[in-house]
Structures are given as structure tokens and as C-alpha cells.
Amino acid sequence: MKAYIYLENGTFIEAKSFGAEDTVVGEIVFNTSMSGYQEIMSDPSYAGQFVTFTMPEIGNVGVNEQDMESSKAHAKGMLVRKYQARYSSFRAEESLESFLIKHNIMGICDIDTRFLTKMIRKEGAMMMVASTTISDRNELKNILENSPRIEDVNYIEQVSTKIIYKHERSTYSNTEFKYDETPITQANIAVIDFGVKRNILNEIVSAGIGVEVIPNSFKAEDLIKSYKSKIIDGVFLSNGPGDPLVLKREQEQIKKLIDAKIPMFGICLGHQLLSISHGYDTFKLKFGHHGGNHPVKNEKTGLVEITAQNHNYNVPNNIIEIADVTHTNLFDNTIEGLKYKDSPIFSVQHHPEASPGPKESQYIFCEFLSLIKR
């Protein structure tokens, strides 16, 4: 089936569809990862976005439940050069096409992804509309112009859990632990779910930390009470989609946690929310960081870690007034990690759970446990 794309810079493209049939509006970004398309599509942080994959062959290993980063796919759609309907992997349970249709996600192929990527690099991330039913350029333009932009939508309300639950799986186990397999729990934390990835929870458990996941509608007073009663030893602020500046209620609650001197660790959106809650607003990058090959320098050790990234927003440089920079992105020298000077709080912009290698970043989760113990 044909698919039609209209971007806000006026570009109109005809391609083919291999996913759900629909008309969808979202922000287009590109991802430079060589593998992991299923993890990317099921990462809640991609809610509201179309992902252009620079890897030309997509679909060749199929899809399986074990590699899901959440309960469903969250991206608006994916754009690929060539879709491989015939998959080959002993772990595969279904094709990427059937996965996309099941989750009502658009898949667009036979498109020049190199052209799209270069355009995004030059002009920046932008809004687009894709359709399998509307081929008229002017009609698509009208739909796009009358749709909300990604920064106008609070996607956290869509992706955050609605119930409180415990997570008891680790990175090295596909099922819940038996008693003799469980890591020794040395601390307990509350994970505030803004769109948390399952493997982040797995890594926290693997570090020896007990996890209770709570909705984004949390009340700081409840967490402060639990901390003083020694029910929890700290708070983790998760990754998530969208513009952190729109999350006014969450910012106010985090400010209360900061004032209470509760040990906290944030990743990606959590990293940004900590900056804003300290009074330093984030800014939007031209085309963001999306991929599994971003070199980040650890300012303490001097080592370079190859990291996975997925964000369009960044903390400002003047935050060094209240925090020490622990990690720096070597692509553009933006801040990738912070340790706050007068608070038991630190955060990173990249995803230490994603394991792109070769210099891994999982040690950061153990640093959180060390902070809690101190």
C-alpha cells in the first residue's frame, strides 16, 4: 500500500506502507543505532515521534516479547529504507509488520532515509503527517497545520503507569527471581514513572536495590514521609517523552523532594526535570541525540563511554553554578551528567542501561546505591 508524507518544511514524499493503515501526525527524528529497532519502538520516550532509521535494513530479526522495553509500542511510526518481511532469528516470535499492525503503528518503507536524515540535520527536527488514505498534498498540509505540536502535548499522562507495582526482575533473568536467584537487596527506592524502560528497572534491581514503581501523579509529601520512616531510601526519576517544561506539576513536586534532601538519581527526562526544578530551564537541541553510538567522556576517570541516547532537550551550561559536570557529550560538548553540589542528587542524560558498548555505563546504577548508603 502506498503512503504519503508531508513535512512542515513543505516536503512531500510518496513511499510504501508495511504497518498500520492510518493518518498520523508526529515529530520526525532520526536514530543512528545499528540494531534494536524493537527496543526503540517500544521505548515510551519516543511517544509522539516518527523514527527515521539510518540503518538501511530493518525487520531482519523479527520481534519477540523479551526485547520489549514496555508493554507496547509508543512511537507514531517508523521510516526505513528497506523493510525485510522475511526475518531470521531463533528468538523471533513474529514479524515487525505484524507487530506494528497489532500496536496500530505506521511503518513506511522504500524511502530515501539518507535524504531525510541530512534534511533533519540541516533544518532540525520538525512535525510531519503520514497517511495511507490521503494522497492530496494540500489536505495533508491542512491536517498538519491544524494539529498540536509535540511540545503542546503532555505525553507523560499517556505512558506513565496508573497503578503502583513492584519490579523484581534483573538484567540477567527473564522471569521473576526465585529466592536463591534474587540479588541481595541493600536499599529500597521509589521509581517515578514518566515512561520508564524495563531494562532500567532491571539494572536497578541488579545493583541490589528494591524497586517500587509509582505514577507521575505522585505526591512529594507521601515520598518524604516514606523516606523519614525508612520505607524508602531514595527516589529515581525515569526517562520519558516530550518537552519537560510542560510538566509544571511534576516540577513542583520534585522541588519539594530536593528541599527534603532525599537521595535522587535521574536519567534522560529525569535528568532534565532535576535541572528545571533547581531553576535552570532546558533548551531544545536542533535535531536531538538519538542512537547507540554517542561518545561520552567521564570527567572523573577521563574514559570515553559509547552510549545510547534519545532526547531532544538538554540542560543549560550555566547549571555549573550549582552542579559539577560528570559527563560530557563529545559530539557537541553538551552536558551529559551532573552531580549537585549541595544535595545527594546526580543524573545523566544518556541511557546507561542500553549497553551499546564497548565501554559500558552500568556502573552508574551501583553509584546510586553507594550514594544511598552514604
Side-chain angles (χ1 to χ4, degrees), residues 56-213:
E57 302 281 344
I58 298 292
N60 51 311
V61 294
V63 174
N64 67 81
E65 176 60 31
Q66 185 179 337
D67 289 343
M68 293 292 288
E69 285 289 1
S70 63
S71 61
K72 65 177 184 178
H74 294 275
K76 292 283 189 176
M78 62 191 308
L79 297 91
V80 306
R81 178 66 186 93
K82 186 175 182 181
Y83 168 62
Q84 289 290 349
R86 181 182 177 184
Y87 58 90
S88 177
S89 172
F90 71 96
R91 298 175 66 243
E93 297 169 356
E94 64 178 320
S95 69
L96 175 59
E97 180 177 19
S98 63
F99 169 80
L100 293 178
I101 292 173
K102 180 171 65 179
H103 292 277
N104 196 34
I105 303 297
M106 294 193 73
I108 300 171
C109 62
D110 288 4
I111 190 169
D112 189 345
T113 51
R114 181 184 292 272
F115 162 76
L116 287 176
T117 300
K118 291 174 70 175
M119 181 178 65
I120 296 169
R121 285 178 58 187
K122 181 180 179 180
E123 301 185 35
M126 64 187 76
M127 298 297 293
M128 63 162 275
V129 57
S131 179
T132 56
T133 59
I134 301 172
S135 60
D136 183 77
R137 175 177 183 155
N138 291 328
E139 186 174 352
L140 291 173
K141 178 182 179 182
N142 185 62
I143 291 172
L144 182 60
E145 290 177 346
N146 289 280
S147 298
R149 302 183 63 82
I150 190 168
E151 55 266 26
D152 298 326
V153 181
N154 185 344
Y155 282 102
I156 306 300
E157 297 292 343
Q158 300 179 22
V159 303
S160 179
T161 181
K162 306 305 178 188
I163 60 172
I164 297 174
Y165 66 93
K166 290 186 179 295
H167 184 91
E168 297 178 327
R169 300 182 184 183
S170 102
T171 306
Y172 310 104
S173 176
N174 298 327
T175 59
E176 290 190 3
F177 284 116
K178 298 175 183 178
Y179 291 109
D180 59 347
E181 297 175 327
T182 308
I184 298 174
T185 300
Q186 303 177 58
N188 292 285
I189 65 165
V191 171
I192 301 176
D193 179 15
F194 301 121
V196 69
K197 294 171 64 179
R198 285 178 177 171
N199 206 39
I200 288 179
L201 301 178
N202 294 343
E203 289 286 356
I204 294 174
V205 172
S206 296
I209 303 174
V211 169
E212 184 172 72
V213 184

Side-chain angles (χ1 to χ4, degrees), residues 259-270:
D259 292 339
K261 299 292 183 179
I262 296 178
M264 283 193 284
F265 170 35
I267 287 178
C268 203
L269 181 70

Side-chain angles (χ1 to χ4, degrees), residues 28 31 41 51 60 85-86 101 104 110 151 203 209 215 217 232 259 273 305 326-327 345 350:
I28 183 172
N31 187 295
M41 297 306 291
V51 184
N60 51 311
R86 181 182 177 184
I101 292 173
N104 196 34
D110 288 4
E151 55 266 26
E203 289 286 356
I209 303 174
S217 57
I232 63 170
D259 292 339
L273 285 171
E305 302 162 17
T326 59
H327 298 78
I345 299 171
H350 56 280

Side-chain angles (χ1 to χ4, degrees), residues 254-301:
I254 293 171
K255 287 177 184 177
K256 295 178 183 179
L257 299 179
I258 293 171
D259 292 339
K261 299 292 183 179
I262 296 178
M264 283 193 284
F265 170 35
I267 287 178
C268 203
L269 181 70
H271 166 77
Q272 298 161 10
L273 285 171
L274 282 169
S275 174
I276 298 168
S277 300
H278 276 91
Y280 292 80
D281 286 354
T282 52
F283 65 95
K284 189 168 186 176
L285 297 166
K286 184 176 182 179
F287 48 81
H289 297 161
H290 310 276
N293 56 356
H294 288 244
V296 167
K297 181 181 178 181
N298 183 317
E299 296 293 351
K300 181 178 179 180
T301 65

